[in-house]
Amino acid sequence: MAITDGARRRAAPSSLAFIALMVLVGLNLRPALSSLAPLLPRIEADSGLPVLAIGALTTLPVLCLGLFAPLAPWLSERLGPERTLSLALLILAVGLALRGLAAPAWLFGGTLLVGAAIGVAGTLLPGLVKRELPDSADLMTGVYTMALCLGGALGAGLSIPLAETLDGWAPALTSWAALAAISLIAWQTLMPASPPPRRQASARGDTGALLRQPLAWQVTLYMGCQSSLAYIVFGWLPTLLVERGYDDAEAGWMTGASVMLQLGAALSAPWLARLGRDQRPALMLVLSLIAGGFWVLLQGPIEWRWAGVALLGFGQGGGFSLALSLIVLRTADARLAGKLSGMVQGVGYALASLGPLGIGVMLELDLGLPGITLALTAVTAAAMVFALLAGRDRRLASDETGHLVVR
């Protein structure tokens, strides 16, 4: 009797189990970044690194997200997306462990590995969701985006308590390797079965064809602008709030609360985006909240500060969720979603790395909060322009001859 493909491969997990795996993986993709900012004063004091080196430490992982994200589709075609994600989780755990060795060389080396692993893993997720849950890919994107935001909030909120409990910033950074190891074991045990490989010479797999599509660039540039704002919050918001006049503890709580409020917005934004013919109204709403949040926190009345925290949190959670949703909404199939994800997150995060670097330079030059607020507003305005273009109801697909077209 012939052996079917289903008999050859392990049974695929249920939709609920797959969603649980996506949430668990998503929880790993932000603590490595957000856990660093609250510990920067301690790292600077213990290591003797200058301010510019500390700024480079916040920029390096974001830059690596962009540099290594395009590697994900290439690895996926050769190893399969499941094994590629396993490799990324393994590298993430190793990188987190190396950061705990505390010496500057290991700190930077571990951070580089962490950024590379997150860049690859984050790029794979939209394609996997599009493949496993094609009819609700945009809504499920909101679910794992919520997990990303929760991981970011936990990283920001638990850094100082972990440093106090574990007697140092180095073991606090290393402790997140345990979550990566648990996630790797769960993924290896329950990961979905890969469909039979298909080798095809099609424009769908041609990155060059994507680079010639304005729609792909519109989604990419929106991702770059909103991610730049997000990583400025991860890397510099506590410092900016201290500059405004808040003490360290309150600045940390405000940053953590803002990141925590991203959870609800990340989950609800894709539902909101489904209410209209396209995603432009939802995109304009979340970007307006981001602009308002930055202004209130950095320039507005002190008594409005928690309103600013809420505006920024809701706006950034919704903005990031919609950015990932656009990847699956603007593509016709899972393979093309994976290719677009590589471009969007590769180029987008490379551009986003300029944000934390730019804020560090502005602080070093003592340009003041009014100038920084103006720069943040300009980036948000640019995001709005690209959102108006990327938010239209259009989709990249392959025509009958295999050429990439917009429908």
Side-chain angles (χ1 to χ4, degrees), residues 138 141-142 145-146 149 222-223 226-227 230 258-273 279-290 310-326 387:
D138 56 334
T141 298
T145 304
M146 181 185 68
C149 295
Y222 167 69
M223 169 66 91
Q226 72 83 30
S227 294
S258 180
V259 176
M260 184 63 74
L261 287 173
Q262 294 181 17
L263 300 180
L267 185 60
S268 60
W271 293 88
L272 178 64
Q279 288 70 51
R280 285 176 292 181
L283 287 164
M284 291 300 102
L285 173 61
V286 298
L287 290 170
S288 297
L289 294 178
I290 292 172
L311 289 173
L312 186 60
F314 289 137
Q316 291 204 303
F320 182 56
S321 181
L322 288 173
L324 294 181
S325 295
L326 287 176

Side-chain angles (χ1 to χ4, degrees), residues 40-403:
L40 288 179
R42 302 185 184 205
I43 295 172
E44 183 179 5
D46 289 349
S47 66
L49 290 172
V51 174
L52 286 179
I54 293 294
L57 195 60
T58 66
T59 303
L60 179 61
V62 186
L63 180 61
C64 287
L65 295 183
L67 292 177
F68 287 91
L71 191 61
W74 184 85
L75 288 172
S76 181
E77 288 183 351
R78 285 152 181 80
L79 303 178
E82 299 82 11
R83 291 188 180 88
T84 303
L85 187 54
S86 295
L87 178 62
L89 288 171
L90 176 61
I91 293 173
L92 177 61
V94 171
L96 289 167
L98 288 178
R99 291 207 300 191
L101 297 179
W106 291 114
L107 183 60
F108 277 91
T111 299
L112 187 150
L113 290 178
V114 162
I118 295 174
V120 171
T123 303
L124 293 171
L125 293 181
L128 283 167
V129 171
K130 182 86 170 180
R131 190 190 79 187
E132 298 295 319
L133 303 167
D135 296 331
S136 55
D138 56 334
L139 302 182
M140 290 304 103
T141 298
V143 172
Y144 77 74
T145 304
M146 181 185 68
L148 264 67
C149 295
L150 176 58
L154 291 174
L158 294 179
S159 287
I160 299 300
L162 283 172
E164 297 292 338
T165 302
L166 301 175
D167 196 27
W169 58 264
L173 290 178
T174 301
S175 64
W176 295 103
L179 179 60
I182 292 170
S183 302
L184 174 59
I185 293 170
W187 179 255
Q188 278 290 101
T189 305
L190 299 173
M191 66 181 180
S194 179
R198 292 184 303 165
R199 293 289 181 182
Q200 52 186 9
S202 168
R204 291 187 300 174
D206 184 3
T207 302
L210 276 178
L211 293 174
R212 293 189 292 270
Q213 286 293 338
L215 178 57
W217 280 105
Q218 292 155 12
V219 178
T220 297
L221 293 172
Y222 167 69
M223 169 66 91
C225 290
Q226 72 83 30
S227 294
S228 178
L229 297 170
Y231 289 110
I232 287 170
V233 168
F234 282 137
W236 289 113
L237 185 59
T239 302
L240 296 176
L241 293 175
V242 170
E243 186 81 9
R244 180 74 201 275
Y246 301 104
D247 60 45
D248 290 347
E250 188 171 14
W253 279 110
M254 291 167 69
T255 301
S258 180
V259 176
M260 184 63 74
L261 287 173
Q262 294 181 17
L263 300 180
L267 185 60
S268 60
W271 293 88
L272 178 64
R274 282 195 169 194
L275 297 179
R277 291 181 302 174
D278 56 40
Q279 288 70 51
R280 285 176 292 181
L283 287 164
M284 291 300 102
L285 173 61
V286 298
L287 290 170
S288 297
L289 294 178
I290 292 172
F294 275 126
W295 184 86
V296 170
L297 287 174
L298 301 182
Q299 299 296 318
I302 296 294
E303 56 269 23
W304 292 4
R305 62 189 180 280
W306 290 106
V309 166
L311 289 173
L312 186 60
F314 289 137
Q316 291 204 303
F320 182 56
S321 181
L322 288 173
L324 294 181
S325 295
L326 287 176
I327 294 173
V328 297
L329 289 171
R330 295 296 169 262
T331 50
D333 56 63
R335 180 174 179 179
L336 189 51
K339 291 290 185 179
L340 181 61
S341 182
M343 174 181 172
V344 167
Q345 300 197 55
V347 178
Y349 285 138
L351 292 174
S353 68
L354 299 177
L357 179 62
I359 296 299
V361 171
M362 294 181 77
L363 287 170
E364 182 73 13
L365 297 176
D366 198 22
L367 297 182
L369 288 181
I372 290 174
T373 305
L374 181 61
L376 294 172
T377 303
V379 175
T380 308
M384 287 181 170
V385 172
F386 297 123
L388 286 172
L389 297 170
R392 294 173 293 175
D393 187 15
R394 306 166 73 198
R395 180 177 292 187
L396 292 162
S398 294
D399 63 13
E400 295 78 4
T401 63
H403 292 93

